[in-house]
Amino acid sequence: AVLACSPVAARLIRGLPRAPLVGFHAFRLPLELMMHRAAAEGVMPVQMSYSGRNFDIVTGITALGMAWALRRRVSWGLVFAWNALGTLLLVTVVGIAVGSLPLFHAFGTAPAQLNTWVTHAPFAWLPLILVPAALLGHLLIWRWLFSPAYRQSSVTAP
């Protein structure tokens, strides 16, 4: 969040084309497919996959379409709605992950329902790198959407 509010972020927003700023979120598609596989193999609690309560795969899939649309002309409202949905889905899966920690065990106390898998390599990358990267991506888009230079009824790539 601090980085998204920094002068570095302002330079990124001014310098990056809009399509890659949104298309970056496509990394969540293969990530969610991997998480689904982890749940199917009993490595990860099922509630953290799209077989359970995590529908963040929608962000990864739609990021590709939204990035393509941004190369043309797309309404400010559509980008706003897409980013709102992506942010909400990210917050939801983080809530599910926290609720699944042994401390809270909101989905049960059986080992298969507890979120302990992220304490092992390579899965630790998820909360340490990938979730913060997704959050930074959304915050940069929010900053771009509400910047005076780009707040308008239609959006085009620079």
Side-chain angles (χ1 to χ4, degrees):
V2 170
L3 180 58
C5 296
S6 73
V8 172
R11 285 192 299 275
L12 274 173
I13 292 167
R14 281 193 305 271
L16 281 176
R18 306 305 165 227
L21 193 60
V22 170
F24 161 76
H25 288 278
F27 85 87
R28 288 153 80 173
L29 173 58
L31 174 62
E32 293 299 332
L33 293 172
M34 183 276 304
M35 289 173 64
H36 176 73
R37 178 79 185 261
E41 292 186 11
V43 175
M44 179 189 87
V46 71
Q47 68 267 16
M48 293 178 60
S49 77
Y50 60 80
S51 293
R53 300 168 186 253
N54 174 10
F55 303 106
D56 197 37
I57 193 168
V58 172
T59 305
I61 293 169
T62 58
L64 298 172
M66 185 59 66
W68 179 83
L70 277 167
R71 297 186 73 223
R72 281 131 183 89
R73 198 168 180 86
V74 63
S75 73
W76 181 91
L78 184 60
V79 179
F80 179 95
W82 177 85
N83 201 45
L85 176 64
T87 304
L88 178 65
L89 290 171
L90 180 65
V91 168
T92 300
V93 73
V94 168
I96 293 166
V98 170
S100 299
L101 290 171
L103 177 66
F104 301 111
H105 55 81
F107 299 94
T109 57
Q113 297 167 323
L114 297 176
N115 180 11
T116 58
W117 73 299
V118 293
T119 62
H120 305 285
F123 309 116
W125 285 92
L126 186 60
L128 295 175
I129 303 295
L130 300 175
V131 170
L135 177 61
L136 176 61
H138 283 298
L139 293 175
L140 289 174
I141 295 169
W142 285 123
R143 186 165 176 186
W144 165 58
L145 284 169
F146 288 104
S147 67
Y150 294 104
R151 188 172 168 134
Q152 52 193 350
S153 61
S154 63
V155 179
T156 59

